[in-house]
Amino acid sequence: MNPTERLIAELTQDVRPVTPLRPPAMRTLGWLALAALVLGAITMANGLRPTIAQDLQTPKYLWQLVFAFLTGITAAFAVFANSVPGRSRAWLWLPWIPFAGWMASLGYGCIADWIEFGPDGMSLGHSVGCFATITFSSIPLGAILLLMVRHAGVVHPVSTATLGGLSVAALSAFALTLHHDLDATLMLLVWHMSAVGLVILVARRNATRLFGMVGLKRL
Amino acid sequence: MAVSDEPKTGAAAGASPLRVESERQWSEWMRAAQAGDAACYDRLLRAVVPYVRAVAARTVRVPDDVEDIVQETLMTIHSIRHTYDPARPFVPWLAAIARRRAIDRLRRRMRGPAREVEFQPEHETFLAADANSEEPYADPAALARAVAALPAGQRQAIELLKLKEMSLKEASVSSGQSITALKVATHRAVKRLRVLLAGSDGDER
């Protein structure tokens, strides 16, 4: 018996029934429910911004929210699709479409600020709080997502981690936009995007290590 | 994060009715394996080996590597068999895993030589510090003179056994002396050489 045959015999002996994963769309909904719990708790703790009702009437605010949310969802879907071997990898491009919209809405916000307030609307400020909130709320969300796609480590660790980072950071930024009361869009653009970039970078760089931490080791 | 080249197995499979048939069969076996059917799982794993081997052979050339990829692919199939969706075709799932394992192996192959240094005789070290000297002997001329000064029997033993590196048996045949005689002669010769060389070079031993 050669080693390959011996291996097949061993694997066959070890075949316990398994439950196939649900389709990516279902898993995305499950993940959103969990993310809503975490982000809802953070938002409750901070309280919604006082002007939320009228802000939602403002296009620049509304579009930012919508696109950040869409980026979070589509990135999560891409993560779940990509973590299954053999799925089309074109899904990896999907979240970058709403992401571009998100960037555009922030850019539009900057221009709107300029028209409304002139150079005063361009204050950059020191909103380290924003940055820290996004990065820190990304940690519990990232941990949940990582556990949900722990099998991806053996197939597509890097792309899964990258889009996972995008998803958690975008949803964190979405939740943050609901409760913080910063109005200068340039500030949002700078701080939110650097936080999103940092989360993605950390996830991407540590992809193999992250997947190594959860169960399935790389074979 | 470029969209990588996805295995074109689906399209290739469509070309051959036999392949379509076996794809359907594999998919059914996998579904049964997910439910815990060992016999179907065994059939499936055996059936996919040639396919995985072909995928591997396209990526690497070394036969040992191909077999390693096959085994690693089988182990990956086993560890993530719950990710196969029975509603979807089986071959793209299998091909993605096999290709990933093949690429991993190729990367390790490419990375290995850059990080490793081949073991050369000069990397070998011995317990006795003197034995690690790169120079076999500091003064070959003195050694040659000392060997020449040995009595004929001892000189012959040293030449055959140490300089020509013959075995005792070969040296015995070549010189006509018995093995025991050669051993004794060598032992005496080495002792004598030590004395001679110590005389010519003060700090040798």
Side-chain angles (χ1 to χ4, degrees), chain B residues 33-34 45-46 57 65 71 77 104 110-111 123 128 151 157 164 190:
Chain B
Q34 285 179 329
L45 293 183
R46 283 177 199 288
D65 278 358
Q71 290 168 18
I77 290 174
D104 279 356
M110 315 261 266
R111 231 180 264 159
H123 294 139
K164 294 188 181 164
V190 169

Side-chain angles (χ1 to χ4, degrees), chain A residues 22-40 42 68-81 83 95 134 136-149 160-175 199:
Chain A
R22 272 182 273 276
M26 297 284 291
R27 307 193 75 219
T28 308
L29 288 178
W31 144 250
L32 282 177
L34 290 172
L37 284 180
V38 174
L39 293 173
I42 294 176
F69 187 60
L70 283 178
T71 306
I73 297 181
T74 49
F77 179 80
V79 165
F80 288 116
S83 66
I134 294 183
F136 287 119
S137 55
S138 289
I139 294 173
L141 290 180
I144 298 171
L145 189 57
L146 182 66
L147 281 173
M148 287 183 80
V149 294
T160 304
T162 307
L163 286 190
L166 176 63
S167 179
V168 299
L171 287 181
S172 300
F174 164 76
V199 172

